[in-house]
Structure formats: C-alpha cells, structure tokens
C-alpha cells in the first residue's frame, strides 16, 4: 500500500518527561511577529530571545518544536489558548509552548519524493516548511526532506514507523513514509558530529 502524502510536522513520540507535556517550556513570540506558527513546527530563537518559525533546511540550532500558545486576543477581549499562533489578533507578546527536551523523539513524514529506509537510520535529515500549515486545525505542514551527514541538520533519523501494519506512513518501501527522528542540532544539546 503506497503512503498518502499529508505532512503534519513533528509529533511527539517520546521524551524524558511524560504525556501530555513532555518537558514543554514557555518561550515568547514577539508581539509584532506576523508569521503563523503551527502545532508541530520546528522553531528557532532570534538574538532577542523570541522564537520564530524555522524555514527550509535550517542550519542554526533549533529552539525546539512548537506545541501551542496563549495570548490576549484583541477581538475576543480574553486570553486565548490555541494550538497554533495565527500571526495577529494579539495585545502584547505571546506565550509559546515548546518542546526542547534534548532526548525528545518525534514522528514526521518524508517528502513526497523521498523514501527513508532502514539504511538511513543514524543519518541526519533536514526539514522543509511545506505550505505552512492548516488554519482550520492548526496542524503544521513541515516534513522531512534531505537525508545526509551534516552535523548542523536539525534532526537525526533514529527509526522507522512500521506499526500498525497497513496504516498510512508504514510502507517503508514507498515514498512519504514516517520516520522517528531525534534532535541533532537543538539549543539544549551539544552539537555532535555524524
């Protein structure tokens, strides 16, 4: 069965903490940052300590993976808890929740033209931003993009998703399969050489 390409960013698989928070930390999004950040997006931290959505194939250290936020809504006149930052409707800085546990592992989908195989386990892998994300459900559109040996790539492949058999992403002989990845280049981890 071929895999259906429908990227969803980086979903928590495991980590040092326990479900549902998995060692989340509170970070800040600058009040005038207008780029949407979706649940499962990889994020960077700028020179002023604010997080921003990672672009394609980042080589700077990730701040982590975004999993939600809270902000004072101008239109609703109340604090809004959301699984994604829409890029507007706020008064002041936004509190963002980010998974930056250096031991965290995530499930993500390979690009539509990429098949990640068992031979790729241990290699580095870059990410791409896709179409941004889905504003109806707040889910990311990021996906795994290029397998390599770069120590500055954001993630490292640690396994393949093979269960339950027959479900989307488990066909390891087809493109757009699911892989389990761990942070390789994140601010809470010492950079290692592959």
């Amino acid at each position: 069965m071929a895999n259906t390409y429908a990227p969803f960013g980086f979903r928590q698989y495991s980590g040092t903490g326990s479900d549902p928070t998995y060692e989340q930390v509170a970070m800040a999004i600058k009040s005038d940052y207008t780029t949407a950040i979706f649940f499962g997006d990889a994020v960077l931290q700028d020179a002023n300590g604010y997080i921003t959505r990672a672009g394609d194939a980042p080589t700077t250290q990730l701040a982590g993976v975004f999993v939600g936020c809270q902000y004072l809504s101008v239109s609703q006149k109340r604090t809004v808890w959301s699984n994604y930052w829409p890029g507007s409707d706020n008064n002041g800085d936004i509190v963002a929740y980010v998974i930056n546990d250096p031991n965290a592992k995530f499930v993500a989908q390979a690009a539509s033209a990429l098949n990640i195989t068992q031979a790729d386990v241990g290699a580095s892998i870059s990410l791409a931003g896709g179409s941004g994300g889905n504003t109806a459900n707040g889910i990311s559109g990021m996906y795994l993009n290029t397998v390599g040996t770069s120590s500055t790539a954001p993630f490292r492949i640690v396994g393949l998703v093979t269960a339950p058999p027959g479900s989307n992403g488990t066909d390891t002989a087809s493109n757009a399969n699911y892989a389990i990845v761990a942070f390789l280049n994140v601010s809470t981890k010492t950079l290692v050489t592959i």
Side-chain angles (χ1 to χ4, degrees), residues 168-194:
N168 191 43
T170 61
D171 182 355
T172 59
S174 298
N175 292 348
N177 60 316
Y178 295 173
I180 302 165
V181 297
F183 286 126
L184 177 60
N185 192 8
V186 67
S187 60
T188 53
K189 187 174 191 175
T190 304
L191 196 61
V192 295
T193 304
I194 297 227

Side-chain angles (χ1 to χ4, degrees), residues 147-180:
V147 176
T149 59
S150 172
S151 63
T152 59
F155 295 99
R156 182 178 195 160
I157 302 165
V158 295
L160 303 177
V161 176
T162 58
S167 62
N168 191 43
T170 61
D171 182 355
T172 59
S174 298
N175 292 348
N177 60 316
Y178 295 173
I180 302 165

Side-chain angles (χ1 to χ4, degrees), residues 84-103:
Y84 86 106
W85 163 239
S88 64
D89 188 36
N90 60 300
N91 182 0
D93 289 347
I94 299 91
V95 177
Y97 299 102
V98 175
I99 297 169
N100 67 354
D101 172 9
N103 298 313

Side-chain angles (χ1 to χ4, degrees), residues 85-159:
W85 163 239
S88 64
D89 188 36
N90 60 300
N91 182 0
D93 289 347
I94 299 91
V95 177
Y97 299 102
V98 175
I99 297 169
N100 67 354
D101 172 9
N103 298 313
K105 293 182 180 68
F106 302 89
V107 172
Q109 186 168 34
S112 60
L114 175 64
N115 174 225
I116 299 173
T117 67
Q118 185 64 34
D120 296 323
V121 172
S124 67
I125 191 152
S126 67
L127 63 90
S131 58
N134 184 331
T135 57
N137 62 20
I139 303 297
S140 172
M142 287 188 174
Y143 54 90
L144 301 170
N145 197 24
T146 306
V147 176
T149 59
S150 172
S151 63
T152 59
F155 295 99
R156 182 178 195 160
I157 302 165
V158 295

